[in-house]
Amino acid sequence: MAEIQEQFVALLETLASPDNEIRNRGEEQYNSIPAEQRINLLLTAIKSSDQPHLRSFASILLRRLLTNSWEVFVNCSEEDQNAFKAQLLEILKNESDEGARKKLCDTVSEVARNSQDGEGNANWSELLKFMFYCCNAGTSQHKESALSILNSVPDIFGSAQQNYLTLIKEMLFASLNDPDHPNVRFAAIKATCAFLSCCSEDIAKKHFSDFVKPMLKGVEDCVMAEDDDGPLKSFVDLAESIPKFLRPGLDQIMEFGIRVIANTNFADNWRQLVLELVITICEAAPAMARKKEKYIGPLVVQMLKMMTDLEDEDNWAQEDEVEDIDSDENCVAAEAALDRLACALGGKVVLPHIITAVPPMLQSEDWKHRYAGLMAISASAEGCKKAMESGLHNIVMACLPYVSDSHPRVRFACCNALGQLATDFSPVFQKKMHSKVLPGLILLLDDNDNPRVQSHCAAALVNFFEECPQGVLLPYLPNLCQKMQSTLEKKTMELLSTERKLVLEQIITTIATIADTAETHFRPYYSMFMPNLKYIMENANNKELRLLRGKTIECISLIGLAVGKDVFLSDAEQIMDMLLKAQTDEGEEMEADDPQVSYMISAWARMCKIIGPQFTVYLPVVMPPLLRAAQLKPEIALIDSDDELDEDDGWEFISLSDQKRFGIKTAGLEDKNTACQMLVCYARELKEGFAEYTEQVVKIMVPLLKFYFHDLIRSAAAEALPYLLESVKSKGDDYVKQMWNYICPELLKSLQTEAEPDILAVIMESVASCIEVLGVGFIDGLQMEELIEALKKHLKKNYDKEEERKEARKDEDYDEEVEEGIEDELDQDDYILGKIADIIHSLYGVYGDNFTPMFDKLTDYFVAMLAPERPSLEHQWALCVFDDLIDFAPNSVQKYQHHFIQPMMTYIYNNSPGVRQAAAYGIGALAIKFPGQNTQYSEVLNNALPRLFNVINTAESKEVENLSATENCVSAVSKIFKHVIGIENLDEPTIQTWLSWLPIKEDQEEGPMVYGLLMDLVESENQYVLGKNNINLPEIVKIIAEAIINKTIRSTENAELMGRIERFLTPLQSSPDLWRAILTQLPDTHQQLLSGQS
């Protein structure tokens, strides 16, 4: 046995060898030893080796072995397990080397963690006794060991924690206040932070409030020593999980934090970590932090000073290859912190300090201060958006002079600020500031001596035009295109002569954005750009130019989409051939990391939109790489802290504990996302033309509903499903049923479990669309039951969240900003409730009265939502659901009328336009479904009329926010007139009042009904409408013209109504004098429209 052990110790030496060949042979030999034998050999090596590094190494290997092969240990006899654990504790108790002891603590922690049962009990009572012994009677090294174990396994006490709480407090408090051993205090901070993070905030505040002071003292000592940053990092984690526990020490934290941040004698990483602590508290408990406003100004000042910590780089502005931003630099860390602070605390608190501090920086002779001041505007814009809106003009005017600053990096920062403001304040920024901003940016495109500035200027134009209303762009389009074309030519020539490509890459993206916004208005400029772009696409063949070629492909396809098939057709075949050639890369598949891949995938999808069904001939070439990209599986790893993976290779990590990190290789994820989005596009655009690929695609997409590494991939997966079902309808009902049965379980599971509201909304849209695509006969009883249960879960969650909001309003930190956050949350809930209502709309639309038995299981939730004390968004969506019941299941109305009729009448007068609109629509639906004066609802409908009249006639009824609701009221009145009262029974004052409410300007759903009633009255030659001697004809014609201009009547969707209108207008147009007399009373726009109609 001794000989075997000696051989094993020698083997450990080979495993630690720097020589790869020796180490690989050692690993093969090591892995060939049975796991149970390895456990014993490693334990013996830890116990008997006189070399600390070998004991450490053996502990690491033992921990990894137990992590990966715990079942081997569990299969040992209970006696052997207990003996192993006892030896482990004895070795730890006697270990004298600090490094070896720490590794051994990690191993003990791993055993404890794996020994826990379902309730978290460690089932290792000897360990708990050992820990208490170490902290109470042991040496400082023993105390560190016990605290290290608690830090690693903070829930080690399991369900018995309450019984041990007094002992735990005593153990931790004594260690936090150890007068002689700083390392014990530091270890105690980490252990206490870990332990409290596992407790509720209430328990922490109730039982451990006296810990805050000694913990802060320890953290300050740790920072002053600048040795081990672990305690400070643990304190940051604590601040994130239970921030209000730190309330008693908040002043001390803020004062100390600002002192350290301001002290340049501290190393940068320590200053940044202390800044992280302060920002984390502000993010985790913003209302609590806002009460300490006296610290916010000094904090902002220190962050701005850190942002000036920049290096002078002689050739910075001339660099053609731009390196990734180093997040460890003070200027970058401080800028990110300012962004987070503004988002956390809001503009009312942060913006005044920005406004005070930034102007002197902008006036400084030091370029670094001017640069930092402009970057501060960029960084704070998102979080200060509401507070900035009223002063946006002044902020922009303060930035603009620096477009022509003497220093290129300041000009760069100015572009950055203007671009960020354009994004954060769109479209208001574009509408109000275009005449101020665009001339300066366009002029800066001539900064040829400083390509980084030139490129960033072009990027700022992308920000400006991405969300720019088309009407704002069009006046600039001729000169802008001329500038873009000349810059494109210059930079193409520059590429050929100097191989510089930075500006060219960006200017091509800017051209693409302009074309995308201009749409068909870009047609006159098509020939200015396409020859040059085709040249680049055809000739940018070497590896260094792949990104340029990819962006060019994107630009060409966006231009094609903008100008339309007829203009693009002359180049389409050549471009498709070049795309095919690029796809195969001269006969070889493109490399996985080729940046062209994602651009090409998107370009093919745009070509599909342009060409339409004829695109199917290209699918055999397009689909293979697309499917490969969509099926890419990211590399993931659960690794020890001792292992190394290079983040520069695309790995991102989350620390799970001191010993474990979860890593994912993000390279390729964006290509996967792009591919999934494009599969959605093909299924949507090609319909049955995509049927051949649906089986492959559905097998890719359904599992991606739980792809939690990327939200947009889950979104695309959900979005694709109804289009795939639509595509396979041509294959027959059996095939559709088979595909639905494959989709349904995972789709309904994701409906139950998706945590991200935006993705949940897409999943709900997918469910609603699937119901409509499938129709009757595909969703079986069990599937319907599961769907209803999922909806019940979300409705209950909505109810619970409203109760939580009530409690939040009672919180001691409640303030105006908290209320704004609640309002934002309500907007999110409003969106989700709307999607739930959409699903019920689809179910009633497909199944009609047959859905009512299932709806019974949801009724109580919607009835509760109609209660007066519930928020208006609940009133709105509950009414919408009952509106659908009236529309699609009229035979069920009587069953539920006592729940919704009275609320519907009451909420006609509600303050919320959305509620009024839903109530009015329901009244109108009742009129259609139960026509005549002698129905059970005729009294209700007649009583609704004065309420509807009052709402329509209020002074504010035509304001923008009220218009849709008002027009629904007009429509409801019209429906009652037509279906209940009868137009022949309407008197002159009533008709004149009704006529005064027209035109309907916004509601494209209800407009045709209202105008249909108008035509009923005109065709019946109703004199109250036409007036004496047809005096009202110009007004009627004007109303009709308004309807066409506002697109509330559309020729394709409302063909029957348009035919009636033409029949009304034709006799008038046939009488030139009469028609001329009518036209002269109308505005020019109406005359032009009607002249075209004649």
Side-chain angles (χ1 to χ4, degrees), residues 26-244:
E27 286 174 357
E28 287 182 19
Q29 187 179 349
Y30 174 79
N31 291 326
S32 68
I33 302 171
E36 185 177 349
Q37 186 179 354
R38 265 185 283 163
I39 290 173
N40 291 323
L41 290 169
L42 288 167
L43 184 65
T44 304
I46 296 167
K47 181 179 179 180
S48 61
S49 176
D50 58 358
Q51 299 182 55
H53 77 277
L54 273 180
R55 297 201 299 276
S56 294
F57 188 42
S59 293
I60 292 170
L61 292 176
L62 179 57
R63 173 168 57 81
R64 291 178 180 174
L65 181 57
L66 292 169
T67 300
N68 299 322
S69 305
W70 182 249
E71 69 281 356
V72 174
F73 182 78
V74 172
N75 290 333
C76 295
S77 68
E78 187 175 347
E79 182 181 353
D80 287 346
Q81 290 182 42
N82 290 336
F84 173 87
K85 290 177 179 178
Q87 284 191 69
L88 206 55
L89 293 180
E90 186 63 26
I91 297 169
L92 177 56
K93 182 179 178 182
N94 296 320
E95 179 57 69
S96 58
D97 181 77
E98 182 181 359
R101 189 170 60 252
K102 285 182 178 178
K103 299 304 179 188
L104 196 51
C105 284
D106 294 344
T107 304
V108 171
S109 298
E110 190 64 29
V111 175
R113 191 178 296 109
N114 283 292
S115 297
Q116 289 177 303
D117 60 21
E119 295 181 349
N121 298 307
N123 293 324
W124 190 1
S125 58
E126 291 81 4
L127 175 59
L128 301 183
K129 292 174 185 175
F130 174 79
M131 290 170 65
F132 288 127
Y133 160 79
C134 287
C135 281
N136 294 322
T139 64
S140 63
Q141 290 79 10
H142 288 142
K143 290 177 182 178
E144 286 184 59
S145 296
L147 293 166
S148 175
I149 294 167
L150 180 57
N151 179 38
S152 295
V153 197
D155 59 346
I156 195 169
F157 303 101
S159 59
Q161 180 171 294
Q162 188 63 36
N163 300 331
Y164 288 113
L165 205 55
T166 301
L167 288 173
I168 296 168
K169 280 189 65 176
E170 291 174 355
M171 176 180 80
L172 291 173
F173 196 77
S175 299
L176 284 169
N177 290 282
D178 189 309
D180 303 316
H181 304 100
N183 285 347
V184 172
R185 296 201 301 276
F186 296 162
I189 292 171
K190 291 193 285 186
T192 304
C193 288
F195 177 76
L196 292 178
S197 294
C198 289
C199 299
S200 70
E201 199 159 44
D202 289 339
I203 289 176
K205 288 193 288 187
K206 181 178 179 180
H207 295 286
F208 294 88
S209 59
D210 53 340
F211 276 43
V212 175
K213 187 174 181 179
M215 290 175 74
L216 282 175
K217 176 66 169 63
V219 168
E220 290 185 8
D221 291 345
C222 160
V223 174
M224 299 306 290
E226 290 192 76
D227 183 14
D228 177 13
D229 63 4
L232 180 53
K233 287 181 176 177
S234 295
F235 205 71
V236 172
D237 293 339
L238 180 70
E240 184 175 15
S241 59
I242 51 170
K244 292 185 180 181

Side-chain angles (χ1 to χ4, degrees), residues 828-878:
Q828 198 173 71
D829 290 351
D830 182 27
Y831 190 51
I832 295 298
L833 278 177
K835 297 304 175 185
I836 293 172
D838 288 346
I839 292 175
I840 294 173
H841 172 87
S842 298
L843 288 166
Y844 262 126
V846 170
Y847 294 97
D849 283 293
N850 292 328
F851 176 64
T852 295
M854 300 306 296
F855 180 67
D856 282 342
K857 300 179 181 183
L858 302 173
T859 306
D860 288 347
Y861 292 100
F862 291 109
V863 171
M865 286 162 62
L866 288 173
E869 67 273 10
R870 302 301 290 179
S872 59
L873 67 93
E874 293 189 8
H875 297 157
Q876 176 183 346
W877 294 116

Side-chain angles (χ1 to χ4, degrees), residues 573-643:
E573 186 176 352
Q574 182 187 2
I575 288 166
M576 296 290 270
D577 287 343
M578 286 194 287
L579 275 173
L580 288 169
K581 184 180 177 183
Q583 181 96 19
T584 55
D585 199 19
E586 308 297 339
E588 297 179 7
E589 288 186 359
M590 298 176 77
E591 296 176 15
D593 64 346
D594 192 328
Q596 296 177 93
V597 171
S598 62
Y599 291 109
M600 201 165 291
I601 287 171
S602 299
W604 280 120
R606 293 188 195 103
M607 293 297 177
C608 174
K609 285 184 179 180
I610 297 167
I611 296 172
Q614 293 87 352
F615 186 81
T616 53
V617 298
Y618 294 99
L619 287 177
V621 177
V622 172
M623 287 300 291
L626 190 61
L627 293 171
R628 278 196 302 274
Q631 292 177 88
L632 180 144
K633 290 184 175 160
E635 292 182 59
I636 57 174
L638 185 63
I639 65 170
D640 292 319
S641 55
D642 308 288
D643 294 336

Side-chain angles (χ1 to χ4, degrees), residues 436-735:
K436 306 288 191 300
V437 171
L438 286 179
L441 288 177
I442 292 171
L443 189 64
L444 195 55
L445 283 174
D446 292 327
D447 194 355
N448 291 298
D449 293 334
N450 299 285
R452 283 189 72 172
V453 177
Q454 203 174 13
S455 173
H456 212 52
C457 172
L461 288 170
V462 170
N463 292 117
F464 188 95
F465 290 121
E466 271 181 329
E467 301 295 331
C468 181
Q470 193 179 81
V472 172
L473 165 65
L474 294 182
Y476 295 94
L477 196 56
N479 290 338
L480 192 61
C481 286
Q482 194 66 48
K483 172 67 72 174
M484 290 291 139
Q485 192 260 349
S486 64
T487 307
L488 178 66
E489 284 190 355
K490 286 177 189 173
K491 295 303 169 181
T492 303
M493 297 304 295
E494 192 174 294
L495 173 69
L496 295 173
S497 60
T498 67
E499 299 185 353
R500 298 179 67 85
K501 60 186 185 299
L502 179 67
V503 179
L504 183 58
E505 288 173 350
Q506 184 57 61
I507 210 75
I508 286 172
T509 299
T510 308
I511 293 165
T513 306
I514 293 168
D516 192 38
T517 300
E519 296 178 317
T520 54
H521 297 282
F522 198 77
R523 288 181 169 193
Y525 312 101
Y526 177 83
S527 59
M528 289 173 62
F529 295 100
M530 195 53 66
N532 209 327
L533 292 169
K534 286 195 299 182
Y535 176 82
I536 295 171
M537 181 178 172
E538 189 170 15
N539 293 284
N541 294 319
N542 64 51
K543 196 168 184 177
E544 290 72 29
L545 299 178
R546 292 187 305 184
L547 179 60
L548 173 65
R549 193 188 201 190
K551 291 190 173 203
T552 305
I553 290 168
E554 175 187 53
C555 185
I556 288 171
S557 62
L558 280 167
I559 289 175
L561 198 60
V563 300
K565 184 177 179 178
D566 53 337
V567 174
F568 187 62
L569 199 59
S570 59
D571 291 303
E573 186 176 352
Q574 182 187 2
I575 288 166
M576 296 290 270
D577 287 343
M578 286 194 287
L579 275 173
L580 288 169
K581 184 180 177 183
Q583 181 96 19
T584 55
D585 199 19
E586 308 297 339
E588 297 179 7
E589 288 186 359
M590 298 176 77
E591 296 176 15
D593 64 346
D594 192 328
Q596 296 177 93
V597 171
S598 62
Y599 291 109
M600 201 165 291
I601 287 171
S602 299
W604 280 120
R606 293 188 195 103
M607 293 297 177
C608 174
K609 285 184 179 180
I610 297 167
I611 296 172
Q614 293 87 352
F615 186 81
T616 53
V617 298
Y618 294 99
L619 287 177
V621 177
V622 172
M623 287 300 291
L626 190 61
L627 293 171
R628 278 196 302 274
Q631 292 177 88
L632 180 144
K633 290 184 175 160
E635 292 182 59
I636 57 174
L638 185 63
I639 65 170
D640 292 319
S641 55
D642 308 288
D643 294 336
E644 291 186 5
L645 284 174
D646 192 351
E647 295 195 21
D648 291 339
D649 289 340
W651 283 91
E652 290 186 6
F653 297 98
I654 299 171
S655 293
L656 303 179
S657 67
D658 278 358
Q659 291 80 42
K660 298 289 182 187
R661 291 190 299 162
F662 174 80
I664 177 169
K665 194 167 187 178
T666 55
L669 275 185
E670 283 309 316
D671 287 347
K672 182 181 181 78
N673 172 43
T674 302
C676 290
Q677 304 292 338
M678 296 310 104
L679 288 172
V680 173
C681 174
Y682 291 145
R684 180 181 62 240
E685 299 293 328
L686 298 177
K687 296 181 173 56
E688 64 273 9
F690 194 65
E692 181 184 345
Y693 299 94
T694 52
E695 185 172 343
Q696 286 174 277
V697 173
V698 81
K699 287 179 179 177
I700 292 170
M701 291 301 205
V702 168
L704 292 178
L705 289 168
K706 50 190 177 187
F707 189 82
Y708 296 108
F709 303 118
H710 200 296
D711 289 351
L712 293 180
I713 290 174
R714 297 200 306 285
S715 174
E719 189 181 353
L721 301 178
Y723 298 127
L724 294 171
L725 288 168
E726 183 76 41
S727 295
V728 297
K729 277 195 162 184
S730 59
K731 293 191 173 187
D733 288 354
D734 288 344
Y735 195 90

Side-chain angles (χ1 to χ4, degrees), residues 754-755 792-802:
E754 178 58 56
K792 282 172 69 175
K793 174 186 172 183
H794 287 296
L795 289 168
K796 183 179 185 306
K797 183 178 178 182
N798 174 75
Y799 184 89
D800 292 342
K801 286 175 75 174
E802 179 59 24

